[in-house]
Amino acid sequence: MATRIRPSSKRCAVIGGSGFLGRHLVEKLLDKGYTVSVFDIRQSYELPGVTFHQGDLCDKQSLLTALHGVSLVFHCASPAPASDDKALFQRVNIQGTQAVLQACTEVGVQKVVLTSSASVVFEGTDIKDGREDLPYAKKPIDYYTQTKIEQEKLVLKACDKEKGLLTVAIRPHGIFGPRDPQLVPILVDTARRGKMKFIIGDGSNLVDFTFVDNVVHGHILAAESLRPESPICGKAYHITNDEPVRFWDFMSDILVGLGYAAPRYHLPYTLVYGLSLLLWLLSLLLSPLVAFKPTFTPMRVALAGTHHFYSCSRAKQDMGYKPVVSLKDGIRRTVESYPHLRHGA
Ligand SMILES: NC(=O)C1=CN([C@@H]2O[C@H](COP(=O)(O)OP(=O)(O)OC[C@H]3O[C@@H](n4cnc5c(N)ncnc54)[C@H](OP(=O)(O)O)[C@@H]3O)[C@@H](O)[C@H]2O)C=CC1
Ligand SMILES: CC(C)CCC[C@@H](C)[C@H]1CC[C@H]2C3=C(CC[C@]12C)[C@@]1(C)CCC(=O)C[C@@H]1CC3
């Protein structure tokens, strides 16, 4: 059992603070006068005022050291969805989150803000203006989503006013912005390989893409609203840009902004989805012999060809949430931040 020291309310830890969202969160917390410790499996930068603790969040002992004297923990670490590694997702997102919650209880952390995902309710079919009371996906579309569901349940169940641990889950969707290692780099790589010529379906499906600053804003609002009498304790909140956009318009804006052609030709959704399933099966069967990762995974095709946008009215009502950066400005700032990915660069 670790010895407790009196935690300061402006002393926080960001688990996963070396990642895309985590680093933006750390920078905003510093601006707001917080003292920040980062716990991550890797250290990707250095910043004055930030103490780094490198370690695996499944190792409770390392966590205990990093969380000493901390009153508020943001947990935004996860293996990348593209890894599609069932054992890794289970170990980090489920066992690891249990270790985080145990460590928080042992050192006397008072608040835990989890980065969950709006995908926890997504089964590959249309969701329009989805609210937080939608049931969790019964057939999650991949191992990432399956373990994000279990993770969210664990964190929300751990909320216990008597024991002095308050928890809340933030469910963002399609985070984008400067330094994102997924969306823009994968999109550009696919375009450079000549595979971004096609629109999956009729192109009218609406989706949420959320600028990273808005996601950060939602996390900090949640942390600052989390008090024993607050309605947010033990609940999940969608945080979006509140501007659903056609999936293919968003992709085209980024591509054209970076000097690539927008996709033009339509392919039927069911055909592409069926092909992506076949490819996924083939990659599984052949994995002992050759490692190949299809670009158009069933998850990506489902995300690209269905409506899935979410209401953030609960966050507006309970914590006064309002996006701080519009979609248009978010796209502009994102495009400007990737000069090295421009066509011809
Ligand atoms: N990006 C998006 O569109 C969305 C993301 N989310 C959620 O937001 C959170 C942050 O995502 P994002 O910033 O995009 O992801 P990143 O991969 O950029 O950041 C996650 C960080 O966690 C680290 N990490 C992974 N495993 C461990 C471990 N065992 N112990 C300690 N650190 C670890 C990663 O290291 P390494 O890179 O070496 O693995 C990385 O630094 C995640 O929980 C994700 O599920 C939710 C909705 C949408
Ligand atoms: C090849 C193209 C059809 C698509 C290229 C862009 C995609 C890489 C991204 C479009 C929507 C994104 C998204 C996520 C990852 C990147 C995309 C698939 C998540 C799966 C990340 C983790 C989550 O919790 C949900 C996200 C939904 C949207």
Side-chain angles (χ1 to χ4, degrees):
M1 180 73 127
T3 26
R4 290 186 180 202
I5 61 166
R6 201 177 144 75
S8 141
S9 66
K10 282 267 177 182
R11 200 151 165 223
C12 67
V14 180
I15 303 177
S18 283
F20 163 50
L21 171 64
R23 181 170 170 187
H24 281 276
L25 182 57
V26 168
E27 288 168 352
K28 184 46 103 186
L29 287 164
L30 291 174
D31 276 358
K32 290 181 74 89
Y34 283 82
T35 309
V36 186
S37 294
V38 166
F39 184 93
D40 201 296
I41 205 144
R42 64 187 165 100
Q43 179 173 352
S44 60
Y45 59 96
E46 275 181 39
L47 264 182
V50 179
T51 315
F52 276 91
H53 299 264
Q54 204 169 339
D56 185 334
L57 63 86
C58 301
D59 173 11
K60 198 181 79 183
Q61 218 47 49
S62 323
L63 281 169
L64 288 174
T65 317
L67 301 185
H68 210 58
V70 161
S71 66
L72 162 63
V73 166
F74 294 94
H75 175 10
C76 57
S78 167
S83 73
D84 204 34
D85 182 335
K86 185 179 183 182
L88 180 69
F89 285 128
Q90 282 177 337
R91 194 179 71 79
V92 178
N93 287 351
I94 304 179
Q95 280 115 264
T97 299
Q98 279 165 337
V100 168
L101 291 168
Q102 275 164 17
C104 287
T105 310
E106 286 182 29
V107 298
V109 166
Q110 291 146 11
K111 304 177 186 187
V112 174
V113 180
L114 170 73
T115 315
S116 180
S117 169
S119 293
V120 296
V121 296
F122 183 61
E123 285 188 326
T125 51
D126 289 345
I127 294 180
K128 296 179 184 176
D129 209 31
R131 288 170 190 266
E132 290 84 347
D133 54 7
L134 282 174
Y136 287 116
K138 285 189 193 64
K139 289 187 197 146
I141 201 154
D142 58 9
Y143 302 130
Y144 166 79
T145 314
Q146 193 181 325
T147 57
K148 290 298 282 184
I149 295 174
E150 292 312 313
Q151 178 191 52
E152 185 184 285
K153 287 184 184 168
L154 282 171
V155 170
L156 297 184
K157 216 175 106 206
C159 188
D160 188 332
K161 293 177 194 173
E162 306 302 312
K163 286 192 185 148
L165 181 67
L166 305 179
T167 67
V168 62
I170 297 301
R171 292 180 180 174
H173 193 269
I175 311 174
F176 73 102
R179 301 194 297 255
D180 156 42
Q182 278 193 106
L183 199 154
V184 175
I186 294 176
L187 189 61
V188 166
D189 179 59
T190 314
R192 283 181 172 168
R193 287 186 291 120
K195 290 187 180 172
M196 278 312 288
K197 295 189 167 58
F198 302 101
I199 292 171
I200 301 171
D202 69 5
S204 68
N205 56 309
L206 293 176
V207 172
D208 278 317
F209 286 101
T210 314
F211 189 63
V212 64
D213 288 15
N214 294 327
V215 181
V216 165
H217 180 53
H219 278 69
I220 297 177
L221 269 183
E224 293 182 346
S225 314
L226 200 53
R227 281 182 292 271
E229 67 284 5
S230 147
I232 78 165
C233 297
K235 285 202 200 147
Y237 286 86
H238 292 152
I239 289 294
T240 72
N241 243 78
D242 209 16
E243 289 178 85
V245 56
R246 286 173 173 229
F247 181 94
W248 293 98
D249 286 353
F250 179 84
M251 293 298 148
S252 299
D253 284 352
I254 303 264
L255 285 171
V256 171
L258 288 169
Y260 301 88
R264 284 202 297 160
Y265 310 107
H266 290 263
L267 285 175
Y269 174 71
T270 39
L271 173 80
V272 185
Y273 191 73
L275 284 174
S276 72
L277 272 179
L278 269 179
L279 268 179
W280 179 72
L281 268 177
L282 205 66
S283 70
L284 265 189
L285 290 174
L286 296 180
S287 58
L289 305 170
V290 272
F292 84 94
K293 282 200 166 188
T295 307
F296 291 86
T297 61
M299 171 64 153
R300 286 183 192 160
V301 173
L303 287 168
T306 58
H307 290 275
H308 44 102
F309 58 95
Y310 302 86
S311 161
C312 55
S313 54
R314 184 191 263 187
K316 287 182 187 164
Q317 190 183 314
D318 290 355
M319 45 174 128
Y321 171 74
K322 203 169 138 244
V324 287
V325 179
S326 69
L327 198 63
K328 193 169 170 248
D329 283 349
I331 293 174
R332 183 186 45 77
R333 281 163 61 174
T334 303
V335 165
E336 283 171 6
S337 74
Y338 287 97
H340 55 293
L341 293 186
R342 290 194 76 82
H343 184 57

